[in-house]
Amino acid sequence: MTMQQQTGPKATALYAGNGGKPLFREFITPIGQVMYSYHDVPQPVTDDAGNQQIDPKTGFPKAEYKVTLKWAKAELDAGLIPMRQLAATVRDDAWGPQAALDTWLNLQPFLRDGDNPEHNTKRAEHLFGHVYLNFKGKADPVVLNGEFQKRYTGAPGLIGPYQEDLMPVDMYAGAYARVSGIMFGTEYMGKRFISTRLNNIQKGGGPNGDGNGERIGGGGRPDAKSQFDALAVHPGVTGAPGIKNLL
C-alpha cells in the first residue's frame, strides 16, 4: 500500500464494511529485530505539542507499552507477505473494497520505510534497507482509594524460544523476537492508518536461534556477561573447582 494525498472531501466512511463497527484481526509477526523496546516501562502518550494526554474517562495520564520491529526489505516478498495481506483485509474492513483505488483516501503506508526520510526522520543508519512497524499496547493506571499511584499494569507477556518466562531485561534493542497483537483501521488528524496493537512478545531466532543479537545504540547499560567472567562454576558441574582466587 502506498501513501495517497487527500485533495478532496472524504470519499469513504470508517468501518464502511462492518456497519460502523471496527473489526479486529489477530496476527503474529515473522521474527524481526527489535529496534526500540518499552515493553516493561510504559511511555507517556503526548499530543503534537509534547504534552502528556489525559484519559477523559479516568482523569489519569495516558501511557503505552511499545515495541518496534524491523525487517530487511527482502522480506517484503517473503516472510512479510501474510502481514501485508492482512493489512489489505483490514483496509477493506475499515473503508470498503474501493479503498485500494480511492485517490481521495489519505491512507498512510502500513510498513514504514527506513530509506524514506519522512519515516526515518533521524536518518538512523540501522534502518537503511529495512522496513519497520510500531506495536503499542495500552498501559492501565494503578489506582488505590481513588488516587493514581503513578505506575501502570498491563505489560505484554514475554517468553523465550522454549516458551520459558523471561525477565524484562532479557529484551533489548538489537534482540530478535516476534509479536502477537490485533490489527484494525483507525483515523487521526485527517489521516487513516492500519494500527497494530501489542499483545505479547516471544524472543527467539536471530543468528544463534536464542533471540540474542548485537545491541543497537550506545546509550543503554551494557550486558553484564560482556563485562564479567565467571567467579565460580555451578556446583552441579562435575569437577567444579569452586570460587576463584581474585587476590
Side-chain angles (χ1 to χ4, degrees), residues 114-137:
D115 295 316
N116 184 342
E118 293 184 3
H119 298 172
N120 185 8
T121 56
K122 296 183 179 179
R123 305 295 293 167
E125 291 188 6
H126 63 83
L127 283 181
F128 294 160
H130 291 77
V131 292
Y132 63 96
L133 272 177
N134 300 308
F135 305 90
K136 301 177 182 180

Side-chain angles (χ1 to χ4, degrees), residues 50-184:
N51 302 310
Q52 186 166 13
Q53 295 185 7
I54 303 297
D55 188 334
K57 295 181 179 179
T58 65
F60 303 127
K62 291 183 179 182
E64 294 174 322
Y65 297 98
K66 299 180 182 181
V67 174
T68 301
L69 295 183
K70 70 173 183 176
W71 298 270
K73 286 189 173 180
E75 290 297 305
L76 285 170
D77 295 321
L80 285 171
I81 288 179
M83 289 289 288
R84 295 170 61 198
Q85 291 173 333
L86 184 59
T89 298
V90 169
R91 176 199 62 206
D92 294 347
D93 289 342
W95 300 286
Q98 73 275 18
L101 303 175
D102 190 345
T103 57
W104 306 109
L105 190 65
N106 190 6
L107 180 62
Q108 302 303 297
F110 171 59
L111 289 162
R112 313 303 282 175
D113 185 349
D115 295 316
N116 184 342
E118 293 184 3
H119 298 172
N120 185 8
T121 56
K122 296 183 179 179
R123 305 295 293 167
E125 291 188 6
H126 63 83
L127 283 181
F128 294 160
H130 291 77
V131 292
Y132 63 96
L133 272 177
N134 300 308
F135 305 90
K136 301 177 182 180
K138 181 183 177 182
D140 300 315
V142 176
V143 180
L144 182 63
N145 296 325
E147 295 290 333
F148 174 46
Q149 301 300 299
K150 297 184 180 180
R151 57 191 178 93
Y152 297 85
T153 62
L158 177 60
I159 63 173
Y162 305 104
Q163 293 191 318
E164 73 278 22
D165 292 330
L166 298 181
M167 298 292 290
V169 71
D170 293 321
M171 181 57 62
Y172 53 88
Y176 292 84
R178 60 180 182 168
V179 164
S180 69
I182 57 174
M183 193 183 298
F184 56 98

